[in-house]
Structure formats: C-alpha cells, structure tokens
Amino acid sequence: MLNNVKVVLVGTSHSGNIGSAARAMKVMGLHNLVLVDPNCEVDEQALALAAGAADIAENATIVNTLNEAVADCSLVVGSSARSRTLEWPMLEPRECGQKFVQEGQTSPVALVFGRERTGLTNEELQICHYHVCIPANPEYSSLNLAMAVQTLSYEIRMAYLDREQSQYTEEPQPEYPRHKELDLFFEHLNKVAVDTQFISQDQPGKVMNKLRRLFNRARPEAQELNILRGILSAIEKKISDK
C-alpha cells in the first residue's frame, strides 16, 4: 500500500529541501517522490541532505504540471494553511493518514506540497479533493517543507501500521475515478452547462469552481461518474436533435 503513496513537491526552489523530504519519506517507508516544475536540480546538496535516502531523490519523477503528477490518482490531498478565501473540504493530519491507507490499497494517492515561500496556488489547490492543515502552534506555526512532509508521512505510516495490526475483516473499498477521468468529467460538464446556457461562456469560472468543489466533496465512485457522464451525453443528444 505504501508504494501507492506519491509525495508531490511543486515548484521546489532549494535542492536541499528535496533531499530532506526524501529522507523524511524513507524513514516512514514511502518511496514515490514526484517533482513538479522544480526550480532546482537534484544536486550534491540534495543528495547530502538525503543521507541514506539518496535513491529516492535520484529516482524522483519530474513533470511539468500538477495535473500530470496526479493524473492516475484517485485521491489528491494538498497541504495548506486554512484559507477564508477558498472554502474546501479540510482534513486533520490523522484523518489524512487514514484516508490514504484506505484508498491506497487499490490505487495511487497523492500528498501535495507547495512552494517554500508561497505554497500552492488556488488553481493547484482546486485540483485536490481535500486540503490538510497541520495544527501547529498559532503563535509560531513556521514549518519548513521537510517538517511538513515528515509530519504527514508519519500519520500515513501510523494509520498503515494500525491497519496491519487490526484483527478485523477489511471492508471492500469502492473504486474511485482517477484524477484524469474526473478532469474529463468537469470539461464535459462545463461544455453542457455552456451549451444549455446554464452558465455564460464569458464567465464560467465562478460556477464551475463551485461545481468542482461540490463533486470533490461528494467523491462520486467510478460507476457513479460514468452515470453522470451518460446523463450529460443524453442532454447533448437531445440538444442536437432539436
């Protein structure tokens, strides 16, 4: 299950942070590191700070966009401070670990961390199903990137060990759509909403953001998403027949 967990670092600017994050991951049994549009290379400093986890840093997958990094993932959680401007479903770190262990049994899952100084953009945060906030001391909540990776990786490992030691029969887990499939659904929904004049073609963003939040919160299963796509296709057919 731990092999299905991706740790995704977006726009990292200091190579040492890549090495430190790799070390934090390996201590907790995670190995799958993805770098999105990094502003540095995996250099000697990165390998030095990785210590015995240099293999994770050296084998990191490098992609251009967050969409590429999570295309095959059924669950995407972004590390973020609580925001008043972007309302999104929030998880506590412990809940995050439990969700990753549940859904990581059957498909890839991604834990996303933003830039050292500015974090994730609103657009990137909207790609995530949930946001997770580490409840640090409000008087001094400054966590560096490796600390955040270590804290959330620890919660994933603890949830994994709890599950391994459990005597109870596992309940079958529903199959959730991958991020790429969900993205295609949102494109389809936007097209039908514009074609039926439900939303204006000039300003679709606000309504679609709310719809994206609604469906991310509802977490439709793969079969349910296929039903929704079927409804949209039926609407398109009805429009074209007129």
Side-chain angles (χ1 to χ4, degrees), residues 7 33 35-36 38 46 67 69 73 99-100 118 120-121 127 132 137 142 144 153 171 203 207 227:
V7 172
L33 177 62
L35 306 176
V36 177
N67 275 322
C73 295
K99 274 198 171 295
F100 268 62
T118 58
L120 296 166
T121 66
I127 291 173
V132 60
N137 177 5
S142 179
N144 66 33
S153 297
E171 295 182 3
Q203 295 179 321
V207 173
I227 292 171

Coordinates of all heavy atoms in Angstrom, one line a residue, residues 7 33 35-36 38 46 67 69 73 99-100 118 120-121 127 132 137 142 144 153 171 203 207 227:
V7 N 4.4 11.4 -2.9 CA 4.7 12.7 -2.3 C 5.1 13.6 -3.4 O 6.1 13.4 -4.1 CB 5.8 12.6 -1.2 CG1 6.2 14.0 -0.7 CG2 5.3 11.7 -0.1
L33 N 8.5 9.7 -5.0 CA 8.7 11.2 -4.9 C 8.5 11.7 -6.4 O 9.1 11.3 -7.3 CB 10.1 11.6 -4.4 CG 10.4 13.1 -4.4 CD1 9.5 13.9 -3.5 CD2 11.9 13.3 -4.0
L35 N 8.4 15.5 -8.5 CA 8.8 16.9 -8.5 C 8.1 17.6 -9.7 O 8.2 17.2 -10.8 CB 10.3 17.1 -8.7 CG 11.2 16.4 -7.7 CD1 12.6 16.6 -8.0 CD2 10.9 16.8 -6.2
V36 N 7.3 18.6 -9.4 CA 6.5 19.3 -10.4 C 7.2 20.6 -10.7 O 7.4 21.5 -9.8 CB 5.1 19.6 -9.9 CG1 4.4 20.4 -11.0 CG2 4.3 18.3 -9.7
P38 N 10.3 21.8 -10.9 CA 11.2 22.3 -9.8 C 12.1 23.4 -10.3 O 12.5 23.5 -11.5 CB 12.1 21.0 -9.5 CG 12.0 20.2 -10.7 CD 10.7 20.5 -11.3
A46 N 21.4 18.2 -2.4 CA 20.2 17.4 -2.2 C 20.6 16.0 -1.7 O 20.0 15.4 -0.8 CB 19.4 17.3 -3.5
N67 N -1.3 18.5 -12.7 CA -2.2 17.6 -13.4 C -1.5 16.3 -13.9 O -2.0 15.2 -13.8 CB -2.9 18.3 -14.6 CG -4.1 19.1 -14.2 OD1 -4.9 18.6 -13.3 ND2 -4.3 20.2 -14.8
A69 N 1.2 15.0 -12.6 CA 1.7 14.3 -11.4 C 0.6 13.4 -10.8 O 0.9 12.3 -10.3 CB 2.2 15.3 -10.4
C73 N -4.2 9.3 -10.1 CA -4.5 9.2 -8.6 C -6.0 9.3 -8.4 O -6.7 10.1 -9.0 CB -3.8 10.3 -7.8 SG -2.0 10.1 -7.8
K99 N -7.3 8.1 5.5 CA -7.9 8.1 4.1 C -6.9 7.5 3.1 O -7.2 6.8 2.2 CB -8.3 9.5 3.7 CG -9.7 9.9 4.1 CD -10.2 11.0 3.3 CE -11.7 11.3 3.6 NZ -12.5 10.1 3.1
F100 N -5.6 7.9 3.3 CA -4.6 7.4 2.4 C -4.4 5.9 2.5 O -4.3 5.2 1.4 CB -3.2 8.1 2.7 CG -3.0 9.3 1.8 CD1 -3.9 10.4 2.0 CD2 -2.0 9.4 1.0 CE1 -3.7 11.5 1.2 CE2 -1.8 10.5 0.2 CZ -2.6 11.6 0.3
T118 N 5.5 30.4 -1.0 CA 4.1 30.8 -1.3 C 3.1 29.7 -1.3 O 1.9 29.9 -1.5 CB 4.1 31.5 -2.7 OG1 4.6 30.6 -3.7 CG2 4.9 32.8 -2.7
L120 N 0.9 26.4 -2.4 CA 0.2 26.1 -3.7 C -0.7 27.2 -4.1 O -1.3 28.0 -3.2 CB -0.7 24.8 -3.4 CG 0.1 23.5 -3.1 CD1 -0.9 22.5 -2.6 CD2 0.8 23.0 -4.4
T121 N -0.9 27.4 -5.4 CA -1.8 28.4 -5.9 C -3.3 28.0 -5.7 O -3.5 26.8 -5.5 CB -1.6 28.7 -7.4 OG1 -1.9 27.5 -8.1 CG2 -0.2 29.1 -7.7
I127 N -7.3 21.4 -7.6 CA -7.1 20.1 -8.2 C -7.3 19.0 -7.1 O -7.6 17.9 -7.4 CB -5.7 20.0 -8.8 CG1 -5.7 20.9 -10.1 CG2 -5.3 18.6 -9.2 CD1 -4.3 21.0 -10.7
V132 N -5.2 19.5 3.7 CA -4.8 19.1 5.1 C -4.0 20.2 5.7 O -3.2 20.8 5.1 CB -4.1 17.8 5.1 CG1 -2.8 17.9 4.2 CG2 -3.8 17.3 6.5
N137 N 1.5 25.4 16.5 CA 1.3 26.5 17.4 C 0.9 27.8 16.7 O 1.7 28.2 15.9 CB 2.6 26.7 18.2 CG 2.6 27.8 19.2 OD1 1.5 28.5 19.4 ND2 3.7 28.1 19.8
S142 N 5.6 28.1 11.9 CA 6.5 28.1 10.8 C 7.1 26.6 10.7 O 8.0 26.3 11.4 CB 7.7 29.1 10.9 OG 8.6 29.0 9.9
N144 N 9.0 24.1 8.0 CA 9.7 24.0 6.7 C 9.1 22.8 6.0 O 8.4 22.0 6.5 CB 11.2 24.0 6.9 CG 11.8 22.8 7.5 OD1 11.2 21.7 7.4 ND2 12.9 22.9 8.2
S153 N 3.8 12.2 6.6 CA 4.2 10.8 6.3 C 4.1 10.0 7.5 O 3.8 8.8 7.4 CB 5.7 10.9 5.8 OG 5.8 11.6 4.6
E171 N -13.3 -4.2 4.9 CA -14.5 -4.0 4.1 C -14.0 -3.7 2.7 O -12.9 -3.0 2.5 CB -15.3 -2.8 4.6 CG -15.9 -3.1 5.9 CD -16.8 -1.9 6.4 OE1 -16.9 -0.9 5.6 OE2 -17.3 -1.9 7.5
Q203 N -18.1 34.0 -18.6 CA -17.6 33.9 -17.2 C -18.1 32.6 -16.6 O -18.9 32.6 -15.7 CB -18.2 35.1 -16.5 CG -17.7 36.5 -16.9 CD -18.3 37.6 -16.1 OE1 -19.5 37.5 -15.8 NE2 -17.5 38.6 -15.8
V207 N -19.0 29.6 -11.3 CA -19.9 28.5 -11.2 C -19.2 27.1 -11.2 O -19.5 26.2 -10.4 CB -21.0 28.5 -12.3 CG1 -21.9 27.3 -12.2 CG2 -21.9 29.8 -12.1
I227 N -22.3 7.2 -14.8 CA -23.7 7.6 -14.9 C -23.9 9.1 -15.2 O -24.7 9.5 -16.1 CB -24.5 7.2 -13.6 CG1 -24.5 5.7 -13.5 CG2 -25.9 7.7 -13.6 CD1 -25.0 5.2 -12.1

